[in-house]
Amino acid sequence: MDTSITFTVNGQKQTITTDPDRPLLDLLREDLQLSGTKFGCGETECGACSVLVDGKRAFSCQTPASKVDGKTIRTIEGLADGQKLHPVQEAFLAAGASQCGYCTAGMIMAAVALLEKNPKPTDPEIIDGMNRNLCRCCNYPKIIDAIRQCAGR
């Protein structure tokens, strides 16, 4: 039985009538045409689908629509301020932290969540904070460098 779900995405209030068990990822990509968040494994193991729900990283592939009712969601599309990129996006570009780009949105969202919680993480804290986000290209050293660049900004 479909239900109405109301939430805020990237500063805009949205109401969608849908199956309450439908994944948030589907709402974002199919209903709201926010295609930056990617489907990777569908099992919360790769992090390609990472978004922020009330400021915390969430795996949108397995987050049911019913769990975001009344919540605030940020996706990769909501990070930039007009043409000005978010500092984490700038750092990823500067460090060359994106190769094929498939994991990049999820990596950036996980990094934003980490840095908002802990603005000056140590290397072990960066590694722990990025745990469960996988890069097929194994570009981890540059990803960690990008996060280091942002630490303390």
Side-chain angles (χ1 to χ4, degrees), residues 23 25-26 29-30 34-44 46-50 60-62 102-103 136:
L25 178 64
D26 292 352
R29 291 184 60 82
E30 296 169 13
L34 297 171
S35 60
T37 304
K38 304 295 185 216
F39 177 86
C41 66
E43 299 176 357
T44 72
C46 74
C49 67
S50 295
S60 64
C61 71
Q62 290 291 315
Y102 201 82
C103 72
R136 295 178 195 183

Side-chain angles (χ1 to χ4, degrees), residues 5 7 9 16-42 48-51 58-66 68 73 75 102:
I5 309 291
F7 51 96
V9 179
I16 296 174
T17 300
T18 190
D19 178 339
D21 293 327
R22 188 170 170 218
L24 172 60
L25 178 64
D26 292 352
L27 297 178
L28 295 172
R29 291 184 60 82
E30 296 169 13
D31 296 17
L32 301 176
Q33 284 72 55
L34 297 171
S35 60
T37 304
K38 304 295 185 216
F39 177 86
C41 66
C49 67
S50 295
V51 297
F59 300 99
S60 64
C61 71
Q62 290 291 315
T63 301
S66 61
V68 298
I73 299 161
T75 69
Y102 201 82

Side-chain angles (χ1 to χ4, degrees), residues 56-86:
K56 296 179 182 172
R57 176 177 60 174
F59 300 99
S60 64
C61 71
Q62 290 291 315
T63 301
S66 61
K67 296 288 184 190
V68 298
D69 192 37
K71 307 273 183 174
T72 298
I73 299 161
R74 269 195 301 171
T75 69
I76 192 73
E77 292 91 348
L79 287 185
D81 183 11
Q83 294 298 313
K84 182 170 175 25
L85 294 178
H86 186 279

